[in-house]
Amino acid sequence: MNISFQHHNRNLGARDFDWRMVNYYCKMFEEKFNLNPMESKKSILRLVDAIEKQRKIISANIESPISCECLVEDEDLYHLLKREEFEEIIKPDVVHFTDLIQ
């Protein structure tokens, strides 16, 4: 076996997908409830944990729910994410990744 090319970006990975999803859900939550989850570290940690679970489920299924009860001021976040929607959200990172391997 011969390795003819090697290239990497150690800062590109699943966490980048998670943070894109955090921004997506924070924007959605702020539009709906006029509250920003980014203002609370506890809310962000709960959201990141829920997104990580959702990302693992969506990798094997065509849709995945996210549910965070009492995310900010007793307001809940619930959303059913379809794979196409997920792929659109993470598209900039996927493009960056494909640029690395070409």
Side-chain angles (χ1 to χ4, degrees):
M1 182 180 199
N2 221 358
I3 298 174
S4 59
F5 181 74
Q6 178 183 353
H7 190 73
H8 70 281
N9 182 346
R10 63 183 291 169
N11 297 318
L12 180 63
R15 286 284 174 208
D16 295 304
F17 295 168
D18 291 349
W19 281 107
R20 287 209 184 268
M21 297 299 295
V22 165
N23 291 327
Y24 174 77
Y25 283 126
C26 284
K27 182 179 175 185
M28 177 189 297
F29 195 84
E30 192 168 12
E31 288 173 359
K32 186 172 183 179
F33 299 110
N34 203 21
L35 298 168
N36 188 357
M38 293 292 258
E39 294 174 357
S40 167
K41 291 180 183 181
K42 184 177 179 181
S43 296
I44 293 297
L45 290 174
R46 293 181 69 220
L47 186 57
V48 168
D49 185 50
I51 287 170
E52 185 176 342
K53 292 174 187 174
Q54 185 182 42
R55 178 177 40 82
K56 290 176 182 178
I57 293 170
I58 199 87
S59 68
N61 299 303
I62 60 170
E63 59 185 24
S64 173
I66 188 170
S67 180
C68 285
E69 295 180 3
C70 300
L71 184 62
V72 178
E73 295 183 15
D74 295 331
E75 297 294 347
D76 302 336
L77 171 69
Y78 179 81
H79 183 72
L80 185 64
L81 184 72
K82 300 204 180 302
R83 184 179 302 224
E84 295 83 21
E85 185 180 5
F86 175 70
E87 290 173 353
E88 188 63 33
I89 295 166
I90 65 167
K91 189 175 184 176
D93 291 324
V94 172
V95 168
H96 184 79
F97 182 74
T98 55
D99 289 346
L100 282 175
I101 59 175
Q102 289 183 354

